Amino acid sequence: MSGDYSSKAAKLRALLAGDRITRAMGAHNGLTARLAERAGFEAIWASGLEISASYALPDQSLLSMTQFLDAAEAMDVATNLPVIADCDTGFGGPLNVAHTVRNYERRGIAAICVEDKMFPKINSFAAAAQDLVPLVDFVEKIESGKRAQRSDDFVLIARTEALVAGESVDEALKRAVAYSEAGADAILIHSKSRQPKEILEFAARWTRAVPLIAVPTTYSGIHEDDLHAAGFSVVIYANQGIRGAIRGINATLVTLARSGRGQAVEEQIVPMSEVFELQGMTAKFDSRA
């Protein structure tokens, strides 16, 4: 494979091996990815939740691989940052995961993340059953995905939902070890606890060299420096961007609908010149307009 396809993957691998925590920001299109880069994040998380929400659809395995892939590619093109694509359960069995790897790698995406829940999955924070696939079946998915990649730089992340499903830290560790032995390049350990206790226990008992990834959505009080000190290499802010966008857009639209004039929202929205800048417009906004 040419170096052009693997350059961002190589950048991500260098970040994983670095002595600082890598901060990945959730995004759902090129614009939000560009804003994340401008804010100073080191990687983009092509969030399944955010992409689904952008279609006004549940995060419940409703969109196709192609729709997720197109969104991830738009984010990749819009920034210089490596993109980590949330691929849910891998869109099916081992052959589907292999197909996913080949397509994402061909498009230049640095990494994909696959989780060990049953298909169709439902968002981890939904009040619904979070059923796990048998360990041996998910190991087969990881092995199939690793066999399919062409560049050594491409990163395949195994995400265990054991804690989300109500299983013990012991079970989460058992699964994570098996996934790392199957070739996973990093382990994402997910939790919906309001406190980071089980995440920190998992990290304290992790003895393998495979990097760990945390997603502090519910245990948001912990600082990323403390996660790094505990042994995590990556922190993903998976959904804060779209949650902030929904609040901001909603406030603007409500004000506009009530006021009946655009001037009512001018103080709370960005000027057109900033939109032009984010678009990479070669022509400046005409201030006389």
Side-chain angles (χ1 to χ4, degrees), residues 71 75 105 133 195 206 244 249:
M75 298 178 216
E105 186 180 22
V133 297
Q195 300 297 326
W206 183 248
I249 293 171

Side-chain angles (χ1 to χ4, degrees), residues 32-50:
T32 51
R34 184 162 289 178
L35 287 168
E37 181 175 29
R38 190 167 76 169
F41 290 91
E42 293 83 35
I44 301 298
W45 171 252
S47 165
L49 167 67
E50 290 206 12

